[in-house]
Amino acid sequence: MRLTAHTDYALRVLIYAAVQPDERCTIEQIAAGYGISRNHLMKIVRKLGEHGFIETVRGRGGGLRLARPAEEIVVGDVVRVMEEGFAQAECFKPAENRCVITPACGLIGVLKRAVDAYLGVLDEVTLAEISTRRDKLARLLALPDRD
């Protein structure tokens, strides 16, 4: 499985916010920290907000922060929301499937098990677990020292 850049960036936004849970951060700060497009992040932040992963505040002094503790945000849930789908082959999409061997093919079952296993592992991990090295992450993202 391969994550899209959209999902990768969504996870990065959440990690950034998890590193400084008591602070609001801005899209500009996140874009600068990772060296990625502000425009891409705007769409991603909107979607993360719509699905309850982050909360946003508009206007002066605004920004974003986690909507709930990092321990309650499951990576598998984020991936499911951000990815368009998990169709590994044409046969996963019955309306588009033109493969003549589908009725006898054993590959679809194997691929489905692989996707289920992939998501199963991601379901065992929280945002808190992937952002435990806060000090190092903060240095790498050039975040100000809050002490």
Side-chain angles (χ1 to χ4, degrees):
M1 292 273 338
R2 180 177 175 173
L3 295 178
T4 61
H6 197 74
T7 303
D8 177 26
Y9 291 173
L11 291 167
R12 292 190 207 189
V13 166
L14 293 173
I15 290 169
Y16 193 102
V19 168
Q20 46 186 2
D22 300 325
E23 304 289 328
R24 282 194 194 128
C25 50
T26 66
I27 290 173
E28 289 77 14
Q29 291 168 329
I30 297 168
Y34 288 116
I36 55 181
S37 165
R38 179 186 178 280
N39 290 336
H40 281 40
L41 290 180
M42 289 175 62
K43 295 174 194 172
I44 291 163
V45 164
R46 184 173 46 250
K47 193 167 187 177
L48 288 170
E50 288 170 359
H51 289 278
F53 295 111
I54 60 170
E55 53 187 32
T56 58
V57 177
R58 290 183 171 267
R60 188 173 175 89
L64 63 93
R65 65 177 165 229
L66 297 179
R68 55 187 189 264
E71 295 80 12
E72 296 177 15
I73 298 176
V74 176
V75 173
D77 293 341
V78 177
V79 171
R80 281 182 186 84
V81 163
M82 300 308 292
E83 287 293 316
E84 293 293 321
F86 295 95
Q88 296 297 297
E90 171 180 327
C91 50
F92 276 74
K93 301 177 186 176
E96 299 172 22
N97 186 8
R98 295 186 186 5
C99 180
V100 297
I101 67 169
T102 299
C105 183
L107 183 59
I108 192 168
V110 172
L111 292 176
K112 182 177 178 345
R113 284 191 1 243
V115 169
D116 290 347
Y118 173 78
L119 291 170
V121 170
L122 296 177
D123 287 340
E124 296 173 2
V125 182
T126 67
L127 176 60
E129 292 172 276
I130 63 172
S131 58
T132 57
R133 300 178 72 188
R134 284 187 178 164
D135 291 343
K136 188 168 187 173
L137 287 166
R139 279 193 309 278
L140 292 167
L141 292 167
L143 296 174
D145 194 6
R146 301 285 179 201
D147 293 333

